[in-house]
Amino acid sequence: MNPTRHVVFVCSGNTCRSPLAAALLGTLAREAGDDAFQVSSAGTSAWDGSPASEGSYLVALERGMDLGPHRAQVLTNEVVRSADLVLTMTAAQAVRAHELGGAGRVHTLSAYAANSELGPDVRDPYGGALEDYRATLEELEPLIEATWTRLRRPSR
């Protein structure tokens, strides 16, 4: 199996996309019985301690996930160093994670899921209607499923 044990998802404020991505991957790991797998999230411009946005909280609940305990954290070099893999929602966030010491471990989520060099940014629902948050969750689901499949593939 792949030795990746800690994945950090990154977005801007760490209240919308990255907490949803972390919850989705964490759910897959729990369903697979992988208790050693760790998933967390951070934001390039997060306000430390902020809860998940109301929209993300509500759409997560619709899928049986609880973002109530989530608290935002700023992406720092310590957070990057703690991760085996850093997956960002945008190319600009990947650049920032590289600057913080993530060379070789940082990818955009869409590129990593597709096992390619480039992929589109994951849309940011911040400030939008609940339907925008649902659309983002629906965009994240196949990306997270592909990521989980890739993480479970034996290393070569």
Side-chain angles (χ1 to χ4, degrees):
M1 267 192 229
N2 193 305
T4 300
R5 303 312 308 154
H6 181 205
V7 176
V8 175
F9 288 100
V10 177
C11 68
S12 300
N14 192 213
T15 61
C16 300
R17 296 170 288 179
S18 58
L20 285 171
L24 287 166
L25 189 61
T27 297
L28 291 174
R30 278 188 303 284
E31 288 173 352
D34 192 343
D35 297 332
F37 193 80
Q38 183 182 356
V39 184
S40 60
S41 62
T44 56
S45 37
W47 188 283
D48 269 330
S50 295
S53 66
E54 183 178 7
S56 288
Y57 177 79
L58 292 173
V59 299
L61 280 179
E62 291 174 352
R63 301 293 173 91
M65 300 179 294
D66 183 8
L67 294 183
H70 173 78
R71 293 297 174 262
Q73 68 173 336
V74 175
L75 184 68
T76 63
N77 55 3
E78 291 83 16
V79 170
V80 171
R81 272 198 311 265
S82 76
D84 298 309
L85 180 63
V86 178
L87 298 175
T88 67
M89 301 298 137
T90 70
Q93 293 156 359
V95 169
R96 181 66 182 134
H98 275 284
E99 293 170 350
L100 291 170
R105 295 176 289 129
V106 176
H107 308 272
T108 64
L109 173 59
S110 58
Y112 187 84
N115 200 14
S116 67
E117 290 297 313
L118 298 172
D121 290 350
V122 174
R123 81 185 96 197
D124 189 353
Y126 182 75
L130 196 56
E131 284 307 313
D132 297 321
Y133 288 87
R134 285 187 185 113
T136 296
L137 182 61
E138 289 169 9
E139 182 180 356
L140 285 169
E141 285 176 319
L143 296 173
I144 298 301
E145 288 169 10
T147 294
W148 181 244
T149 298
R150 184 171 176 191
L151 289 171
R152 304 315 293 167
R153 198 174 305 140
S155 298
R156 295 185 180 181

